[in-house]
Amino acid sequence: MKLCVALDMAKKDDCLALARELKGLDLWLKVGLRAYLRDGAKFIEELKNISDFKIFLDLKIYDIPNTMADACEVISSLGVDMINIHASAGQIAMKAVMDRLNSLPKRPLVLAVSALTSFDESEFKSIYNSSINQSVINMAQITYKSGLDGMVCSVYESLAIKSVTNDNFITLTPGIRPFGEENADQKRVADLTTALDNKSDFIVVGRPIYASNNPKEIAQRILSQI
Ligand code: C5P
């Protein structure tokens, strides 16, 4: 299991300072919407200049197939290692993205977002008219058929996704509260043992690390337990 640290802080300099602090640790960095909209491709470059971090650019692309393929081609040109799109954009859109990216000399890993970890059952049902589990299984099947590398999901769907696809199909799970920290807006949260038991391949941890008094120590404690 790999640790992916979300650089979701309000200021670019704080994100860069955290990256410098984490330099040398065996982890990935996640750049999200706020940082990318604010600081753009330059920010990715600056992170890469600090260390040869693996970078997950979490932009959750969701649009019509051709627009998604165009966007993902541009995102891939930034030299990041993993990107994501929404599974609910559908199989035709996901296939269009993969056809486009597979025609490039090199492409990042591509994951599909299933049910956001901020959804509980009732909010999810009011939008998708289905249970989280059933929808995630359907999404996993079309994502796998479309040739993506894995899914973003909660820890609680990781095993089901692998059972309807295969064990090497990546599950990346946000909503991790390593040592029982505040849930904040997350609903389907889990600790490290639960993530390990459910074969999560990547855990994403944001606030429990960057909002703590000693982010490096928390990251090291997480790494020593996984
Ligand atoms: O601070 P926290 O650990 O809750 O951060 C989780 C990170 O993972 C945030 O950057 C959020 O955007 C992202 N994420 C998520 N749920 C998803 C996909 C991504 O929380 N389904």
Side-chain angles (χ1 to χ4, degrees):
M1 189 162 83
K2 288 270 175 211
L3 168 63
C4 185
V5 178
L7 297 178
D8 287 338
M9 290 104 98
K11 294 191 189 126
K12 177 178 153 189
D13 283 349
D14 292 341
C15 296
L16 291 173
L18 178 58
R20 271 185 222 106
E21 209 182 326
L22 299 177
K23 184 177 171 170
L25 299 184
D26 180 18
L27 46 77
W28 285 54
L29 297 179
K30 183 176 91 68
V31 174
L33 269 178
R34 171 154 74 173
Y36 191 73
L37 293 174
R38 185 189 56 210
D39 306 320
K42 180 98 183 26
F43 182 52
I44 309 283
E45 232 179 271
E46 286 180 277
L47 290 174
K48 292 255 178 202
N49 285 341
I50 292 174
S51 181
D52 58 350
F53 289 118
K54 296 270 189 194
I55 295 181
F56 168 32
L57 185 52
D58 177 20
L59 299 182
K60 301 188 182 69
I61 302 300
Y62 187 9
D63 210 307
I64 59 171
N66 186 58
T67 305
M68 286 179 66
D70 288 344
C72 289
E73 185 174 349
V74 173
I75 296 168
S76 296
S77 73
L78 301 173
V80 294
D81 304 281
M82 186 154 64
I83 68 170
N84 60 356
I85 62 181
H86 268 279
S88 36
Q91 193 169 342
I92 295 173
M94 289 195 281
K95 183 92 181 22
V97 167
M98 296 316 290
D99 285 348
R100 184 75 68 83
L101 297 190
N102 285 330
S103 72
L104 305 174
K106 192 170 174 261
R107 71 161 176 86
L109 293 170
V110 186
L111 306 184
V113 178
S114 58
L116 296 172
T117 42
S118 55
F119 281 140
D120 60 16
E121 280 293 347
S122 86
E123 195 186 6
F124 187 83
K125 187 147 203 252
S126 73
I127 301 165
Y128 292 91
N129 199 26
S130 156
S131 70
I132 290 176
N133 224 45
Q134 189 52 55
S135 280
V136 172
I137 284 172
N138 294 342
M139 288 176 188
Q141 282 162 332
I142 60 166
T143 301
Y144 186 66
K145 278 191 214 149
S146 308
L148 279 77
D149 303 291
M151 298 205 87
V152 183
C153 58
S154 92
V155 161
Y156 304 102
E157 292 98 44
S158 174
L159 286 178
I161 289 173
K162 287 178 185 285
S163 78
V164 296
T165 60
N166 85 50
D167 244 11
N168 299 324
F169 195 59
I170 296 168
T171 55
L172 175 140
T173 60
I176 302 296
R177 295 297 177 258
F179 308 110
E181 297 87 341
E182 274 287 301
N183 285 11
D185 57 342
Q186 299 283 23
K187 298 277 168 45
R188 299 186 339 277
V189 301
D191 62 16
L192 297 180
T193 316
T194 315
L196 283 166
D197 288 348
N198 287 278
K199 296 194 179 162
S200 174
D201 295 294
F202 288 86
I203 50 168
V204 176
V205 185
R207 286 162 287 190
I209 291 181
Y210 71 74
S212 78
N213 291 332
N214 192 341
K216 185 171 182 183
E217 190 206 320
I218 301 284
Q220 283 172 320
R221 264 175 71 198
I222 294 172
L223 289 172
S224 72
Q225 293 198 18
I226 62 175

